Amino acid sequence: MGEAQVSLEHLFRVFTKPEHKDSKLAQIEQHLSDNILDFLSQHVVTKKTSLEEVEKDFANAKVPESPEFVSTHAETLLDKLVAHSVNTYSPTFIGHMTSALPYFHLPLSKLMVGLNQNLVKIETSKAFTPLERQVLGMLHNLVYDRSEAFYEQHLHSAQHALGAFCSGGTIANITALWVARNKLLGPQPGFAGVAKAGLAAAYRFHNINHLGVMCSKRGHYSLSKAVDALGLGREQLIALPAPQQTLDPEKALRAGKRYQEEGNKLLAIVGVGGTTETGHVDPLDELADVAEQLGCWFHVDAAWGGATLFSSQYRDRLKGIERADSVTIDAHKQMYVPMGAGMALFKDPENANAVRHHAQYILRAGSKDLGATTLEGSRNGMAMMVYSALHIFGRRGYELLIDRSIQKAKAFADMIDKHPDFELTTSPTLSLLTYRVCPQALQHTLKQVDDSTRDKINEKIDTLVVSVQKQQREAGKSFVSRTRLEAPDYPTKCITVFRVVLANPLTSHNDLAAILSEQHQIATRTPLWGSLSKLTTQSPA
């Protein structure tokens, strides 16, 4: 029924002729254009189907032999894909860093896809390349606030780059540390540099055993990928304990000195501007001092929290970020841009030259091709979406959204604090927080028992939290995530907690109250609740 004719005429039609206005594809497009929220409410997560059942729809590994009509295929996507997708627009989806998108991205994305520009090369992106350079300049200005003359000199310079546009924070972090590595181990008399000679030769020339990167245990897992991809080795990621959720500058300095006294070299300290688990911000100003004392690069991973710089009220929470050698920001987080818009920004526009590559057929010396200083080659024009968002929202629009999210997180934290059977584990620095369900009487018990007993009780509470989170997710009304972390009140062992991200502007106080109420109802219906409520200061069975 859905099989189309195999002919050049049919294939040419796919490339050149729009579908009929009454086709299924046209209907879907019109429905999306008319009301994105209505579309999602009708088509997203409407069926309670297990992952194993969904996998059966995508189990055939053979490429289809014959072509299919676009309208028929659109029906298939609705039934198999859209119907089982996650409604990230929902105001009660508050468990991850994916949120509702503004409506204007739908028509603009058609423009981006239709133009199909490749940002690797000027010849395939004549206007998009200067646009991307301007976007990087705007974000560089937001972080570093240099003079107009500085941006006039460097914004469109073929010899400089203010940053690199990336598909996400992971590639941005790798790019920043790649630049740091190549700069530290660059060409010198008698040594061609690590980019040409390799790491082994660089270690011999500099007489070092290892090259390391330091962060706290709250650092993003992309840092582990970075030291792996750059050949440093995962064992050289020095992740220090963070019982207070941030990297302690004094401990970082001591650990860095000890590492270098052992015949190693510290490549970089990574401060986090909004951890993915709790939203905490490392003491960036103090860590910049530590990096200076240790003679290493200072990188700030502000993939989540970088947008806080739009806020006059809260930007001081990132104090010291302007001293970083490089900064990661994800526009697809709190800048409300579709997925795939990360950036690595460089304080010194010269530093990107440490990774500059040339190729005779495409990346010629002296050109303004962006692919010369980016890890990725072919890339789409995602910078256009950031450019448009920056203009449509403006700094003041973003400020309003950021301020509201942080204030909403504070309000939810107050709500949790006032509820007798919940325990706030990390207060919001930005718009993330963690908490757990725990019977009121048991909260008093936990303060009185010894460490061993406390750990045993906490293991039972962990089980309850996991059960509540799973049941709430399966019920489908709302979603919070969960994680395990070190908590100041329970330093001996990590505990399991609910994790909430409050970035969706559509989420209301009533939504948050309903989510908390639902969790409490689920918890009190769980058999474990009764046994936990009966525990006293004696050791649990």
Side-chain angles (χ1 to χ4, degrees):
M1 180 179 174
E3 189 171 302
Q5 185 180 1
V6 182
S7 67
L8 282 176
E9 182 184 357
H10 168 74
L11 293 177
F12 283 149
R13 194 183 308 128
V14 170
F15 275 91
T16 60
K17 188 176 181 180
E19 283 281 302
H20 188 272
K21 66 177 182 179
D22 294 327
S23 71
K24 192 65 183 178
L25 189 63
Q27 291 172 19
I28 294 170
E29 184 178 20
Q30 187 61 48
H31 200 172
L32 275 170
S33 299
D34 287 346
N35 193 333
I36 180 65
L37 294 177
D38 180 54
F39 176 85
L40 287 167
S41 68
Q42 289 188 36
H43 293 291
V44 178
V45 199
T46 54
K47 301 176 182 177
K48 291 185 179 179
T49 310
S50 69
L51 178 61
E52 289 72 22
E53 286 296 310
V54 175
E55 286 172 345
K56 291 177 182 177
D57 286 333
F58 303 98
N60 189 348
K62 294 185 72 174
V63 175
E65 186 66 23
S66 300
E68 188 177 52
F69 287 116
V70 176
S71 55
T72 304
H73 183 69
E75 287 274 17
T76 301
L77 291 180
L78 271 180
D79 293 339
K80 293 184 177 181
L81 186 72
V82 177
H84 303 296
S85 294
V86 177
N87 186 357
T88 58
Y89 278 70
S90 169
T92 57
F93 180 87
I94 59 169
H96 287 300
M97 293 176 166
T98 309
S99 174
L101 289 175
Y103 166 83
F104 62 78
H105 282 305
L106 284 171
L108 292 182
S109 64
K110 286 182 65 177
L111 183 62
M112 185 187 77
V113 172
L115 290 170
N116 196 31
Q117 305 288 284
N118 185 349
L119 274 291
V120 70
K121 175 72 180 168
I122 285 280
E123 292 168 1
T124 57
S125 60
K126 184 177 179 180
F128 272 64
T129 291
L131 177 145
E132 182 168 296
R133 282 181 173 271
Q134 184 188 11
V135 168
L136 289 167
M138 288 175 173
L139 272 297
H140 189 283
N141 194 6
L142 184 71
V143 174
Y144 295 111
D145 192 25
R146 302 295 293 272
S147 67
E148 285 188 24
F150 173 89
Y151 294 106
E152 286 176 7
Q153 179 183 353
H154 296 107
L155 196 66
H156 296 295
S157 168
Q159 288 77 43
H160 302 93
L162 296 174
F165 213 91
C166 310
S167 57
T170 293
I171 299 298
N173 282 338
I174 292 174
T175 297
L177 294 175
W178 179 34
V179 168
R181 187 200 69 170
N182 284 19
K183 185 173 172 62
L184 178 66
L185 305 178
Q188 295 184 31
F191 178 57
V194 67
K196 289 186 177 180
L199 268 179
Y203 286 5
R204 287 195 298 270
F205 180 82
H206 289 278
N207 193 30
I208 57 175
N209 296 322
H210 298 289
L211 204 57
V213 173
M214 184 185 293
C215 64
S216 81
K217 285 191 175 180
R218 296 277 79 82
H220 194 256
Y221 64 85
S222 61
L223 299 175
S224 179
K225 291 183 178 181
V227 292
D228 184 351
L230 293 172
L232 310 186
R234 296 185 191 183
E235 291 181 355
Q236 305 315 312
L237 182 64
I238 307 156
L240 300 182
Q244 303 300 319
Q245 312 307 326
T246 57
L247 182 56
D248 185 311
E250 291 184 5
K251 291 179 180 177
L253 180 60
R254 288 199 298 270
K257 285 181 176 179
R258 185 165 59 249
Y259 183 76
Q260 298 195 143
E261 285 167 0
E262 293 169 353
N264 307 308
K265 179 70 176 171
L266 194 64
L267 171 64
I269 291 176
V270 179
V272 185
T275 63
T276 53
E277 290 176 301
T278 65
H280 279 75
V281 178
D282 283 333
L284 303 179
D285 218 15
E286 292 89 337
L287 290 177
D289 291 336
V290 173
E292 283 183 4
Q293 291 181 65
L294 294 174
C296 69
W297 188 272
F298 182 41
H299 174 64
V300 173
D301 179 0
W304 172 255
T308 310
L309 294 170
F310 288 114
S311 169
S312 302
Q313 183 176 356
Y314 295 109
R315 66 171 292 128
D316 279 355
R317 297 194 175 181
L318 293 175
K319 184 177 182 293
I321 193 172
E322 72 282 354
R323 298 178 62 190
D325 295 292
S326 55
V327 173
T328 287
I329 292 181
D330 269 354
H332 55 244
K333 290 191 168 75
Q334 291 194 92
M335 289 175 66
Y336 303 96
V337 169
M339 208 64 61
M343 285 163 275
L345 306 170
F346 309 122
K347 184 174 186 178
D348 184 347
E350 292 275 1
N351 285 339
N353 291 322
V355 296
R356 186 174 290 276
H357 279 245
H358 301 298
Q360 288 305 314
Y361 80 101
I362 190 167
L363 303 174
R364 300 178 187 91
S367 75
K368 295 184 178 181
D369 300 331
L370 297 173
T373 53
T374 55
L375 180 60
E376 295 160 290
S378 297
R379 292 182 295 106
N380 65 14
M382 201 65 198
M384 187 199 85
M385 308 301 278
V386 184
Y387 176 88
S388 298
L390 286 166
H391 282 81
I392 292 170
F393 283 122
R395 188 202 64 79
R396 291 173 62 190
Y398 275 125
E399 178 176 46
L400 184 62
L401 290 170
I402 295 296
D403 289 356
R404 193 165 182 269
S405 291
I406 294 176
Q407 288 156 11
K408 201 182 299 180
K410 289 179 180 176
F412 192 38
D414 289 342
M415 206 181 294
I416 292 163
D417 259 339
K418 289 174 182 174
H419 197 295
D421 291 328
F422 284 92
E423 188 177 45
L424 188 69
T425 49
T426 58
S427 298
T429 300
L430 301 178
S431 55
L432 276 77
L433 56 93
T434 64
Y435 64 103
R436 66 178 188 169
V437 61
C438 180
Q440 183 180 21
L442 197 54
Q443 293 178 37
H444 297 302
T445 300
L446 284 166
K447 294 175 183 177
Q448 300 169 9
V449 296
D450 57 67
D451 289 347
S452 176
T453 304
R454 185 182 299 113
D455 288 345
K456 289 177 181 177
I457 295 174
N458 277 332
E459 286 176 10
K460 292 179 180 291
I461 299 172
D462 290 347
T463 303
L464 176 65
V465 171
V466 170
S467 175
V468 171
Q469 192 267 344
K470 284 183 176 180
Q471 289 183 63
Q472 187 172 36
R473 181 189 66 202
E474 289 165 3
K477 296 178 185 176
S478 57
F479 175 78
V480 299
S481 59
R482 70 174 192 265
T483 189
R484 285 183 63 78
L485 50 79
E486 301 165 277
D489 292 339
Y490 309 111
T492 54
K493 201 171 182 180
C494 289
I495 60 171
T496 302
V497 294
F498 299 121
R499 169 182 170 269
V500 160
V501 183
L502 293 173
N504 189 337
L506 305 175
T507 303
S508 69
H509 288 265
N510 288 341
D511 291 324
L512 297 175
I515 287 168
L516 206 62
S517 175
E518 184 186 25
Q519 288 178 331
H520 190 249
Q521 288 172 19
I522 294 171
T524 53
R525 290 197 307 262
T526 304
L528 186 55
W529 181 267
S531 61
L532 282 170
S533 300
K534 294 175 184 175
L535 289 176
T536 64
T537 54
Q538 299 173 359
S539 294

